[in-house]
Amino acid sequence: MEAAPGNPVIAWNIHAQTAIYDTAKQSPTAGNRSFAIVQGAVYDAVNAVAGRPYEPLVSAPRSRPGDSTAAAVAAAATTRCCGSSPGRPSR
């Protein structure tokens, strides 16, 4: 599956899906939980960079004006994917 150009959320959705279901081969229950954790972290990252008031789902990451949304999404998804995949080191 190919990501929509220029949309880091969709791109990292696909990466998370591959890591959780194809690479880690998590069960449907564990995979859904892992996917929810990744998506919650991505939601928080995007909203932190946007600077609008919001209710965090997973954490309230710090951000500064001018921070990259794509970088925030990548950092959030990578951190949560690596921490939720068996056999991979937690970060």
Side-chain angles (χ1 to χ4, degrees):
M1 184 178 291
E2 220 172 288
N7 189 326
V9 173
I10 292 174
W12 281 96
N13 263 351
I14 294 166
H15 295 314
Q17 180 179 347
T18 300
I20 293 166
Y21 297 117
D22 299 338
T23 304
K25 303 210 182 301
Q26 291 185 1
S27 70
T29 303
N32 287 338
R33 179 185 179 278
S34 296
F35 204 73
I37 290 168
V38 171
Q39 294 311 302
V42 167
Y43 170 87
D44 288 341
V46 168
N47 282 293
V49 170
R52 296 190 251 357
Y54 74 102
E55 184 72 29
L57 293 175
V58 177
S59 65
R62 288 185 281 177
S63 68
R64 295 176 299 223
D67 280 353
S68 165
T69 300
V73 168
T78 301
T79 300
R80 297 300 178 195
C81 264
C82 289
S84 63
S85 297
R88 296 184 72 183
S90 293
R91 294 186 180 186

